[in-house]
Amino acid sequence: MTNREESVRTKANQVLVETWNLCKSYPMRSRFLTRVVGWVKAVDNVSLTIRRGETLGLVGESGCGKTTLGHCILQLIPATSGKVFFEGVDITALDKTELRRMRKDMQIIFQDPYSSLNPRMTVGGMLREVLHFHNIVDRSRMKDKVDELLKTVGLSPSHAYRYPHEFSGGQRQRIGIARALALEPKFIVCDEPISALDVSIQSQILNLLQQLQEQYQLTYLFIAHDLAVVEHISNRVAVMYLGRIVEIADYRQIYENPLHPYTLALMSAVPIPDPKAKRDRIVLPGEVPDPTRAPSGCAFHPRCPEAMPECSSVSPVLREHDDGHKVSCLKYSTSWPEQSGVSTVVPAETITASPTQGGALADD
């Protein structure tokens, strides 16, 4: 066992989930699907930690790899490279039997509450299937457990006899939450759980998730587009762009003092609940680059209003700039790689000094 693996085990009482240099690439094939002509990096060298009992918000534009990262952490899709640790155990090295036992502790709430439910099964049948497969309760207590789960998420035990099409969108999402809770997990990936719901229902689901987290000591990875929602529910926030984490910090630091130019642009788009208040909007040119032709150097430099000449050739490293605040931008001296292949003389007029030098990981 390496020193790094030993350090993960010693921190397991504080850190629940940790990723090391996690990557997921998809092959691009020629017209006749005979040979690989390139790779699409959906998740590119992501290293982060999720602490026990916290909610880590994950934000970014559509197509930046948020959902893929969540699926790789849960091993719903295998990572191309890198490692995922859950309570100090490398789950990427587990076989199918060992991983199945680990599934009880890791669950997901899907974005679409209808397509994630089996239309041919009743709600009670879906919940009983989960309980039976993982031997959560014996057959004599199955009905009581199903009734308890439905009551926990704000539904009636009589709903167990209905089919998914008989429910509203908010009720279907409550069923999805009940299914995730059935195994009594420690960690749940919330993959945009309210984006398909009416605004009036979103707050109810958010409040339910917070109540359940407090009641069952749950840990969330909360994926969303709505920055106001993320601020409301998260302890820390990670900002993702084109498969990479570009900034991660406590939610107060992210919203009050964003460092990365991309984060600044995202925050400028958050509406202010005051018709008289105005915000200086930062409009980024163009669209998110095609991941099949990712820009060299910093992936954000073609759209960055503060780009320097070095940004097109030097890839910044995600390191700590201030107390717990990590950023990947060449504006800051901590983000310059030690070995970049080019001159590492940093233009003094563009650098913000940092009192500390962080490690190479995205999070401690």
Side-chain angles (χ1 to χ4, degrees):
M1 183 183 298
T2 66
N3 291 334
R4 291 187 69 189
E5 289 173 335
E6 289 179 351
S7 68
V8 169
R9 291 188 179 277
T10 57
K11 294 190 297 182
N13 58 333
Q14 295 90 24
V15 174
L16 186 67
V17 178
E18 184 166 7
T19 68
W20 289 355
N21 304 320
L22 195 64
C23 298
K24 178 59 182 179
S25 300
Y26 294 95
M28 296 187 300
R29 299 187 182 275
S30 60
R31 175 183 293 181
F32 301 103
L33 303 177
T34 56
R35 63 189 180 90
V36 176
V37 296
W39 294 87
V40 177
K41 293 183 178 180
V43 176
D44 188 8
N45 201 37
V46 171
S47 299
L48 54 79
T49 62
I50 305 175
R51 299 169 187 143
R52 192 181 300 273
E54 79 165 350
T55 298
L56 175 65
L58 184 61
V59 300
E61 294 173 274
S62 295
C64 70
K66 303 184 300 297
T67 295
T68 304
L69 175 59
H71 288 186
C72 285
I73 290 175
L74 296 178
Q75 293 297 287
L76 294 178
I77 54 177
T80 304
S81 62
K83 295 184 177 182
V84 180
F85 290 89
F86 184 83
E87 293 188 318
V89 177
D90 180 8
I91 64 175
T92 60
L94 300 180
D95 59 30
K96 290 184 178 181
T97 302
E98 294 170 326
L99 186 59
R100 181 179 298 173
R101 287 196 292 266
M102 190 72 74
R103 294 275 186 218
K104 295 170 62 176
D105 294 326
M106 303 181 297
Q107 288 296 301
I108 184 170
I109 301 170
F110 292 98
Q111 177 178 357
D112 188 344
Y114 186 70
S115 63
S116 62
L117 301 176
N118 189 336
R120 297 187 176 186
M121 296 183 69
T122 63
V123 171
M126 283 184 277
L127 295 178
R128 285 193 297 271
E129 182 182 48
V130 173
L131 297 171
H132 174 71
F133 185 82
H134 289 277
N135 297 316
I136 302 300
V137 294
D138 56 42
R139 196 175 292 272
S140 63
R141 294 189 58 246
M142 196 77 73
K143 183 181 183 303
D144 293 338
K145 183 64 176 178
V146 170
D147 292 349
E148 178 188 340
L149 287 169
L150 292 175
K151 290 179 181 178
T152 300
V153 297
L155 296 175
S156 168
S158 63
H159 289 152
Y161 303 100
R162 298 184 185 180
Y163 290 87
H165 71 272
E166 300 180 80
F167 295 94
S168 66
Q171 288 175 319
R172 291 174 193 154
Q173 195 59 289
R174 289 175 186 269
I175 296 168
I177 295 172
R179 184 175 57 183
L181 287 177
L183 299 182
E184 301 175 358
K186 300 175 183 176
F187 173 61
I188 298 179
V189 172
C190 304
D191 186 9
E192 302 191 42
I194 63 172
S195 62
L197 305 179
D198 294 337
V199 175
S200 59
I201 305 299
Q202 290 181 1
S203 61
Q204 297 178 21
I205 299 299
L206 282 177
N207 291 336
L208 174 62
L209 290 173
Q210 289 181 308
Q211 292 169 9
L212 294 174
Q213 183 176 36
E214 183 176 350
Q215 182 177 352
Y216 295 104
Q217 303 300 308
L218 297 172
T219 301
Y220 293 148
L221 173 63
F222 192 89
I223 300 170
H225 287 290
D226 192 328
L227 296 174
V229 168
V230 172
E231 180 183 17
H232 173 72
I233 198 171
S234 301
N235 302 106
R236 289 187 303 142
V237 178
V239 182
M240 199 168 187
Y241 185 81
L242 208 63
R244 292 190 173 188
I245 302 295
V246 298
E247 187 168 0
I248 184 169
D250 179 87
Y251 78 96
R252 294 185 185 87
Q253 293 175 308
I254 287 287
Y255 284 85
E256 296 174 5
N257 183 35
L259 299 179
H260 197 281
Y262 178 59
T263 310
L264 286 166
L266 290 180
M267 295 304 160
S268 73
V270 178
I272 302 174
D274 184 350
K276 297 181 180 180
K278 293 184 178 180
R279 188 192 298 271
D280 294 330
R281 179 72 186 274
I282 301 175
V283 180
L284 298 176
E287 301 290 337
V288 178
D290 184 350
T292 64
R293 300 179 180 87
S296 60
C298 175
F300 185 61
H301 85 265
R303 306 175 69 193
C304 181
E306 304 178 48
M308 304 181 294
E310 294 83 2
C311 295
S312 62
S313 58
V314 180
S315 295
V317 179
L318 187 65
R319 291 200 182 111
E320 188 169 358
H321 169 72
D322 203 353
D323 183 23
H325 196 156
K326 299 193 175 187
V327 64
S328 173
C329 179
L330 297 182
K331 288 171 53 183
Y332 307 97
S333 59
T334 52
S335 293
W336 281 73
E338 297 176 1
Q339 300 292 333
S340 62
V342 297
S343 173
T344 56
V345 177
V346 184
E349 66 275 10
T350 62
I351 294 299
T352 302
S354 173
T356 60
Q357 293 288 335
L361 285 180
D363 204 0
D364 293 332

